[in-house]
Amino acid sequence: MEPLVPPLRHYGFCIPGDEGKHYIGNLDYILHDFGHMCRHSIQHSTKTVFIDMGANYNFNKDMDTVDEYAPTIRLINTYRRHGIHFDHIYAYELTPIDTERVYKTTPTYIHAALHWINTGVNAEINHLHNPFTMIKERYTADDFVVIKLDIDTVHVELPLVLQLLKDEELHKIVNVFYFEHHVDMEEMYPYWGKWDTATTKLSTITESLQIFSELRRAGIASHYWI
């Protein structure tokens, strides 16, 4: 896996001026060991599962076409190129989106696997809309489970991450985790906006690095998301 270092995304983002901005959506910093995944995590009976919390697949807001540059589509394609085709894709999204438009703006190869859940996730443990509730009910250590968390809501996303960190049953089920951790980092203010620190407590970069390190030690291949 790639080293855990600031700026919590592609290192090219640190280049001063406009050149660095070109790396804001670049995923090339993420290193996957697909050989290890295929040899040790996937058997003939394994269910392959992708859980997407914050499922925005269409950055072409005014077009009913597939946006192949959308980060999650690129990620799913990366797995496909290495022989891992997801049997189930659970896509949680709070923003109301017409279902017909969802299918027009996503690649046809994911339609059979797609479970479109047009509601926000809930961080309450055992809640119906807490995806970890469903994961623990339906999947086991014999399955291959990938999670992406990017909901831009600190008071929901951080408790979910801490649940994953503390729950040893989830450590056995979840294989890979991607998370855009919204931390107190001035360089990201132009993209995230400046958080109201009076109402929102942001993690520091050091705290974020500690969380990701602990997740990796728990056996979950954890990567910063964009």
Side-chain angles (χ1 to χ4, degrees):
M1 288 181 286
E2 71 282 0
L4 296 171
V5 294
L8 318 184
R9 58 191 59 238
H10 197 288
Y11 56 86
F13 180 66
C14 296
I15 299 172
D18 291 338
E19 185 177 352
K21 296 177 182 178
H22 295 311
Y23 290 92
I24 189 68
N26 193 307
L27 294 172
D28 291 344
Y29 64 95
I30 299 177
L31 299 180
H32 299 98
D33 190 346
F34 286 107
H36 183 274
M37 294 179 195
C38 293
R39 288 191 300 270
H40 299 283
S41 300
I42 299 179
Q43 310 300 325
H44 290 299
S45 60
T46 296
K47 302 182 189 74
T48 53
V49 182
F50 187 87
I51 311 288
D52 191 1
M53 303 186 215
N56 187 344
Y57 296 139
N58 183 25
F59 286 6
N60 298 322
K61 301 296 185 183
D62 300 322
M63 300 175 62
D64 284 340
T65 56
V66 177
D67 182 2
E68 294 287 355
Y69 191 72
T72 305
I73 299 301
R74 282 185 280 153
L75 181 63
I76 291 172
N77 269 330
T78 297
Y79 278 87
R80 282 170 53 85
R81 288 199 304 272
H82 290 85
I84 300 175
H85 299 248
F86 291 108
D87 301 315
H88 298 280
I89 299 173
Y90 297 91
Y92 293 82
E93 175 55 45
L94 176 62
T95 304
I97 302 175
D98 181 72
T99 304
E100 183 176 354
R101 189 164 194 268
V102 171
Y103 282 87
K104 285 182 178 178
T105 56
T106 51
T108 56
Y109 56 75
I110 75 168
H111 289 173
L114 181 62
H115 306 264
W116 175 249
I117 306 167
N118 205 178
T119 188
V121 297
N122 190 302
E124 181 183 337
I125 292 177
N126 296 326
H127 193 281
L128 175 64
H129 295 307
N130 181 328
F132 292 134
T133 303
M134 179 270 295
I135 290 171
K136 292 168 70 172
E137 288 175 352
R138 298 188 184 183
Y139 300 105
T140 71
D142 293 329
D143 298 315
F144 181 74
V145 177
V146 178
I147 297 176
K148 189 219 84 183
L149 173 58
D150 181 11
I151 57 175
D152 298 338
T153 309
V154 174
H155 71 274
V156 177
E157 64 188 20
L158 189 56
L160 287 167
V161 174
L162 295 179
Q163 180 184 355
L164 177 60
L165 182 61
K166 296 174 182 177
D167 191 327
E168 294 184 1
E169 183 179 355
L170 288 172
H171 296 173
K172 298 175 183 177
I173 301 173
V174 178
N175 299 86
V176 189
F177 180 56
Y178 306 89
F179 173 42
E180 183 177 30
H181 195 178
H182 298 91
V183 299
D184 190 7
M185 185 163 61
E186 185 176 347
E187 291 81 0
M188 291 303 298
Y189 288 168
Y191 305 95
W192 292 340
K194 195 172 187 312
W195 301 89
D196 182 358
T197 54
T199 58
T200 302
K201 185 182 184 304
L202 295 175
S203 301
T204 65
I205 293 175
T206 298
E207 289 170 335
S208 182
L209 295 171
Q210 290 172 339
I211 289 172
F212 274 78
S213 296
E214 290 179 27
L215 285 167
R216 288 185 173 187
R217 283 196 291 269
I220 302 170
S222 300
H223 309 271
Y224 282 107
W225 189 244
I226 58 173

